[in-house]
Structure formats: C-alpha cells, structure tokens
C-alpha cells in the first residue's frame, strides 16, 4: 500500500467487498455528516514551521501511554461490527496491531470474546458505556479485567445514539446478531436499566476505577473545562473525540478542540485525540498540538477488509509516512514536534 492515493484505494476496496449496509455503517456520520467531513479537512489545514540542522538519522516514533511503551504514536480506537467487516474481526485487528507495536481499545459491543483478543498478545483497553443501572455493567467489566484489559475507556458523549440517515436496510437488520456484543450477559438489552445512562457524572469515573482497579480514560471530551473536571474526578487520561462525527452533528473538529484541552489538563493527565486522522502528516499535526497519542477508527476498520494483512499494511504505511514527516519537520522524537504548528491561521488551528 504505497503512493499518495492509498487512502482512496482503501475505501474503494471496502466499497467493492462489503455489503452495502456494513459499508454505510463504517462511513456514515450523524445526520448530514457535517462533522465527519469537516474533521479530516481541519487536520489538513495545519501548517508547520519545521526545524532545520537537526540530526534525524533515526527518528523515534515511540510514545508511552499510561506507563506502557508503544513503538508508534497511534492506537486503534474502539469500533464494533469488526466481524461484519472480516470473519476474524477483532482477532485479526489485534494480531496485526500487536505486531506493529501499537495497541487497541476493544468495544464493549465487540463480537469476539475478550479472552480470544487477549490471546493475540496485544496491549488492550476496554471501552465502556455505562447503563442507567450501573450494576448491569459489572459482569462485563469483570470479564475484561480477568482477560487482561489494562484500562477502561469511559465513553461520555453518547447519552443517546445520534440519528443516522440510512439509504437502505439498517446494518442491524442484516448482520448476524451473534457477531456483536458477545461479552455482555444474555438478554442484556431486555433488562430494566440497560439503556444508556442519561445521568453520567464525575462520580462515575471514581466508581469505574474502584470496581475495576484500572486507570480510567474519559473519551468524548471537546472542552477544556470538562477535561479539567474529569482530571479532578480521577481520570488518568482525557480523550478528545467527537465520536467520528457519529453523535452530535456540527460538533467542532477535534483538531480545533485539542489545544484547549491540552492547556486545561497540563501535566496532570495524558491527552489523546481521534477524529479524521488519515495520514502521517495528520499524526504530526496532532502530536505537535500536544496529543500524547492518537487513535484511529475508520482507517483500521477499512483496512480490516483484508484481515490481519490489511491492518498490518496500514500500520506499515503510517509508520513510513510518520517517519518521513518527523524527518522533514526536523524532529527526532514525538516530543520534539510540540509547538511546530503555526498558530492563528484562521482555519480552526
């Protein structure tokens, strides 16, 4: 997978292979998809002031997230329906991601048992939605802890599921229900209190940390003041995300929100970002704006069409692009990138 148009080729491959409802689910945003479309363009508006006369013989792409060293500055964000994209689903994603020295966040709606994902050797965290009755989440959380999850990612931007406009049958009407949500108790959806919590609060961060014994990452934050509240409530990291534009349409691009969150958090917690990152140059922009790591959602899911080999090729291409970007920016390490984005351009950055 080489050349400047590899991302278009990746999407075209998915269009050729995936059933229409699955493809639509992967690509769609909420309502008119304003946020989804805007996210990528905003990263592309970043302009750099590179250093020169720096030794960039061996760029170091590594970062540390919650004490764990990654060989690359990105991880795989949580996505469901991976087994609808490829029969091996999360297992293929995990194998390729582990081999790349990256990590993955596993959706609570995953179609593969946590134990099978863990057997790949990948470093992984659990993504969780909390139900109205918090106790209903406890069995799933316990299974994740037992299977070796190293953190819990609490998604906080989904009190209800954002409206999507469908061109045909919903993906949920067409896929085998046995390839999703296998880590939740049987009949979970029919239990009283299983609906998503409308009353999430800072106290839920402490509750999750206490019940799992794991660090808690709060995902779905776009404001500095909210980020500060998360840290004060005990969050180990804050994840700047607009859910890939799949929740509140017209939500601001994450590239525009990241600097405010980084400033509000300071040195008290780590900050991650996702949303529209499509290349090594986008990764460079995110790191330069202060992200400790970047997470990718749609790209790995599209690459998964070709199983572990497709995901491995994606990681390899991003590694090549990011290494080149660091060299051309005069940066030997990820930390060296901080501050090289030209501020006040009027294009959100």
């Amino acid at each position: 997978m080489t050349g400047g148009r590899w991302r278009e080729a990746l999407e075209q491959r998915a269009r050729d292979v995936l059933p229409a409802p699955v493809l639509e689910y992967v690509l769609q945003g909420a309502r008119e998809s304003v946020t989804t479309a805007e996210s990528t363009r905003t990263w592309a508006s970043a302009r750099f002031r590179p250093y020169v006369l720096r030794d960039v013989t061996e760029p170091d792409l590594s970062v540390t997230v919650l004490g764990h060293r990654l060989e690359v500055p990105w991880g795989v964000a949580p996505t469901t329906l991976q087994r609808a994209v490829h029969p091996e689903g999360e297992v293929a994603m995990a194998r390729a991601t582990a081999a790349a020295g990256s990590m993955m966040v596993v959706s609570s709606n995953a179609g593969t048992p946590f134990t099978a994902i863990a057997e790949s050797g990948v470093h992984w965290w659990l993504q969780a939605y909390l139900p109205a009755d918090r106790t209903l989440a406890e069995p799933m959380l316990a299974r994740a802890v037992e299977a070796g999850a190293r953190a819990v990612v609490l998604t906080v931007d989904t009190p209800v599921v954002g409206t999507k406009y469908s061109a045909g049958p919903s993906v949920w009407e067409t896929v085998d229900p046995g390839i999703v949500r296998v880590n939740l108790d049987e009949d979970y959806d029919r239990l009283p209190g299983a609906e998503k919590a409308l009353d999430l609060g800072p106290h839920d961060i402490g509750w999750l940390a206490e019940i799992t014994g794991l660090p808690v990452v709060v995902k779905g934050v776009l404001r500095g003041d909210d980020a500060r509240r998360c840290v004060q409530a005990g969050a180990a990291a804050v994840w700047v995300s607009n859910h890939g534009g799949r929740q509140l349409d017209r939500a601001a691009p994450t590239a525009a929100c990241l600097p405010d969150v980084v400033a509000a958090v300071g040195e008290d917690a780590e900050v991650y970002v996702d949303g529209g990152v499509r290349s090594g140059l986008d990764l460079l922009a995110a790191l330069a704006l202060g992200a400790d790591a970047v997470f990718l959602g749609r790209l790995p899911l599209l690459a998964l069409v070709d199983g572990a080999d497709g995901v491995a090729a994606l990681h390899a291409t991003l590694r090549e692009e990011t290494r080149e970007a660091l060299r051309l920016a005069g940066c030997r390490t990820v930390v060296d990138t901080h501050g090289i984005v030209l501020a006040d351009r009027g294009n959100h950055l």
Side-chain angles (χ1 to χ4, degrees):
M1 199 188 318
T2 58
R5 302 186 64 82
W6 65 268
R7 283 162 290 277
E8 291 84 350
L10 200 66
E11 183 172 324
Q12 186 57 53
R13 169 68 174 155
R15 291 185 183 279
D16 293 341
V17 172
L18 294 180
V22 177
L23 178 69
E24 181 178 61
Y25 179 83
V26 172
L27 297 179
Q28 72 186 165
R31 296 195 181 270
E32 285 78 23
S33 295
V34 172
T35 297
T36 300
E38 199 171 59
S39 292
T40 300
R41 292 199 302 267
T42 309
W43 290 116
S45 74
R47 296 296 178 268
F48 306 111
R49 295 187 303 159
Y51 295 107
V52 296
L53 301 178
R54 302 284 186 97
D55 183 354
V56 290
T57 306
E58 293 294 336
D60 181 3
L61 275 62
S62 68
V63 295
T64 299
V65 292
L66 301 185
H68 180 80
R69 185 177 186 272
L70 302 179
E71 298 299 323
V72 293
W74 65 83
V76 175
T79 54
T80 191
L81 288 181
Q82 292 190 21
R83 289 186 59 198
V85 173
H86 188 275
E88 288 191 299
E90 288 86 359
V91 170
M93 186 77 78
R95 285 204 310 267
T97 299
S102 183
M103 62 159 291
M104 69 184 287
V105 183
V106 176
S107 170
S108 57
N109 295 326
T112 304
F114 295 146
T115 51
I117 297 169
E119 286 171 1
S120 71
V122 74
H123 185 84
W124 69 284
W125 299 345
L126 169 71
Q127 174 273 333
Y129 298 106
L130 289 187
D133 180 353
R134 307 298 195 268
T135 64
L136 297 180
E138 292 179 7
M140 184 265 294
L141 294 168
R143 291 182 189 112
V145 171
E146 185 176 1
R150 303 301 295 272
V152 179
V153 177
L154 173 62
T155 296
V156 295
D157 60 3
T158 312
V160 295
V161 176
T163 297
K164 318 293 191 303
Y165 299 141
S166 180
S170 164
V171 69
W172 304 109
E173 299 171 12
T174 61
V175 300
D176 179 354
I179 64 171
V180 291
R181 314 195 79 183
V182 302
N183 295 293
L184 295 172
D185 285 346
E186 191 175 356
D187 298 327
Y188 174 89
D189 286 331
R190 289 190 284 272
L191 296 173
E195 66 276 9
K196 288 182 172 62
L198 294 172
D199 60 346
L200 283 178
H203 59 279
D204 286 306
I205 298 171
W207 177 79
L208 268 177
E210 181 178 0
I211 199 169
T212 64
L214 298 175
V216 175
V217 179
V218 181
K219 178 179 181 289
V221 179
L222 295 176
R223 300 175 56 94
D225 51 3
D226 277 343
R228 194 69 224 163
R229 291 173 66 223
C230 292
V231 174
Q232 290 169 345
V238 175
W239 186 328
V240 179
S241 176
N242 56 30
H243 217 107
R246 298 172 64 85
Q247 281 302 102
L248 177 65
D249 199 18
R250 305 188 193 180
T254 53
C257 300
L258 177 58
D260 183 39
V261 172
V262 170
V265 168
E267 299 296 322
D268 296 333
E270 295 177 5
V271 176
Y272 316 134
V273 70
D274 69 16
V277 175
R278 297 289 185 269
S279 68
L281 289 172
D282 293 344
L283 283 159
L284 178 64
L287 298 169
L289 289 170
D292 292 295
V294 182
F295 284 86
L296 311 171
R298 283 186 177 87
L299 274 187
L301 200 55
L302 290 169
L304 185 61
V305 166
D306 289 315
D309 288 345
V311 179
L314 170 67
H315 284 300
T317 300
L318 286 174
R319 184 189 292 270
E320 179 183 334
E321 288 190 349
T322 306
R323 182 183 290 115
E324 178 185 283
L326 284 175
R327 281 177 166 149
L328 292 174
C331 300
R332 193 185 65 81
T333 69
V334 166
V335 173
D336 292 342
T337 68
H338 292 175
I340 68 167
V341 169
L342 185 63
D344 301 323
R345 280 180 40 80
N347 289 323
H348 305 294
L349 295 178

